[in-house]
Amino acid sequence: MQWFKPLGSSLKIERLANAVKDSLWQANCPLCKRPADGILCKDCDRQITAYQAREFLQKDNPISLEIPLYSWGIYDGALKRAIAACKYENHPEIMEAIAVKIADTWQRSAHTKTKNLQKASVIPIPLHANKLKSRGFNQAEILARRFCDLTTMPLKPQLLQRVKETKAQMQTNSKQEREQNLSHAFAVPSNQKSNHRNVILFDDIYTTGVTIREAIATLSDSNIAVRGVIVLARPQFTNN
Ligand SMILES: [Zn+2]
């Protein structure tokens, strides 16, 4: 039984190596810092899912009757904290995890099967180059990219640029100031102008809709038709 001993010790070494590998590769949950099997731990994932909106298609049509708004969640509680942790504590991987939920909801929804939507390209709302540099990533683009991977829809971030540095909309005091702040914030690059097509805009949060409206107007000037808008979350609205 000469062979038994070396085999036994090599198995032990293998197990030890796996344990070391697991502890090196298993990143903790970015929200609670506890060990997680996926990006998020099961507990945080559950807490986020608790803020999934009852209706994906927003029945109050806040943009217009022609342009549907889809919001996966309600901007509150664990979902609001997860978005803040992504943006301000440098955890873009949180958006990767949540994009899977949005893609799943999109694919299950009965309201997303129209030809205009199914054939559309997806444009994430861009950040200004300076903002992108300081944050290091655009959370809307991370969401949209993963969403497109999963739904096989084409991602076209190059169709829209943010050409004006704007204040955070929360720092503006009036509707007029918000509109002024975003006015001419976007542009379609001249080499993209001949591409007439249907698009869907993608953003992380929908609040007043001023950003989305400005982007729609800019794209429309270049004959690019926005057929729908998908966001991760919007504050709760009452539809009665
Ligand atoms: Zn967690």
Side-chain angles (χ1 to χ4, degrees):
M1 296 304 264
Q2 270 295 316
W3 54 271
F4 187 73
K5 229 179 181 177
L7 182 63
S9 53
S10 81
L11 278 178
K12 265 184 213 156
I13 290 167
E14 203 178 308
R15 254 182 237 144
L16 182 67
N18 277 341
V20 171
K21 199 171 73 186
D22 283 349
S23 65
L24 284 177
W25 288 103
Q26 190 182 37
N28 286 346
C29 170
L31 296 170
C32 67
K33 318 295 177 204
R34 288 179 296 187
D37 292 331
I39 292 171
L40 302 171
C41 74
K42 286 198 176 70
D43 197 27
C44 289
D45 191 87
R46 219 177 357 248
Q47 287 181 39
I48 288 171
T49 305
Y51 284 86
Q52 179 170 4
R54 211 151 35 91
E55 302 273 1
F56 186 38
L57 174 66
Q58 302 298 291
K59 296 282 171 62
D60 59 334
N61 298 305
I63 302 167
S64 72
L65 281 174
E66 294 75 34
I67 303 177
L69 173 70
Y70 300 89
S71 178
W72 180 83
I74 295 157
Y75 185 58
D76 204 354
L79 182 55
K80 189 175 178 175
R81 284 197 298 279
I83 296 171
C86 163
K87 291 206 272 200
Y88 308 117
E89 294 165 29
N90 193 27
H91 284 297
E93 73 277 21
I94 295 173
M95 290 295 137
E96 296 261 352
I98 298 178
V100 178
K101 299 176 189 293
I102 306 176
D104 184 56
T105 305
W106 175 265
Q107 283 166 327
R108 287 164 190 263
S109 172
H111 304 288
T112 61
K113 306 290 185 279
T114 68
K115 211 168 97 192
N116 274 341
L117 290 171
Q118 292 289 317
K119 293 202 161 179
S121 305
V122 176
I123 304 182
I125 293 291
L127 292 181
H128 188 271
N130 292 346
K131 183 75 149 292
L132 186 61
K133 207 170 159 196
S134 66
R135 185 172 295 161
F137 59 88
N138 175 1
Q139 68 284 354
E141 186 165 340
I142 291 172
L143 279 172
R145 190 171 293 280
R146 189 81 182 104
F147 175 87
C148 287
D149 283 349
L150 295 164
T151 58
T152 68
M153 288 168 79
L155 180 75
K156 301 283 177 193
Q158 69 275 19
L159 283 179
L160 192 64
Q161 284 180 338
R162 196 145 184 158
V163 289
K164 184 173 145 188
E165 272 197 277
T166 51
K167 281 197 246 178
Q169 285 295 81
M170 277 174 233
Q171 288 167 17
T172 55
N173 296 316
S174 65
K175 185 167 180 271
Q176 198 186 1
E177 199 189 337
R178 276 193 288 279
E179 283 170 1
Q180 193 62 39
N181 185 37
L182 264 302
S183 169
H184 303 292
F186 299 102
V188 175
S190 52
N191 62 348
Q192 301 290 342
K193 286 199 173 167
S194 59
N195 292 323
H196 302 180
R197 56 177 114 204
N198 295 336
V199 301
I200 293 172
L201 289 174
F202 213 116
D203 207 358
D204 55 344
I205 308 165
Y206 182 96
T207 45
T208 61
V210 176
T211 310
I212 293 292
R213 261 176 250 280
E214 188 64 28
I216 291 171
T218 303
L219 289 162
S220 155
D221 286 346
S222 294
N223 294 316
I224 298 171
V226 175
R227 300 301 189 181
V229 176
I230 305 172
V231 296
L232 165 53
R234 76 181 285 211
Q236 181 114 51
F237 74 95
T238 47
N239 61 352
N240 45 24

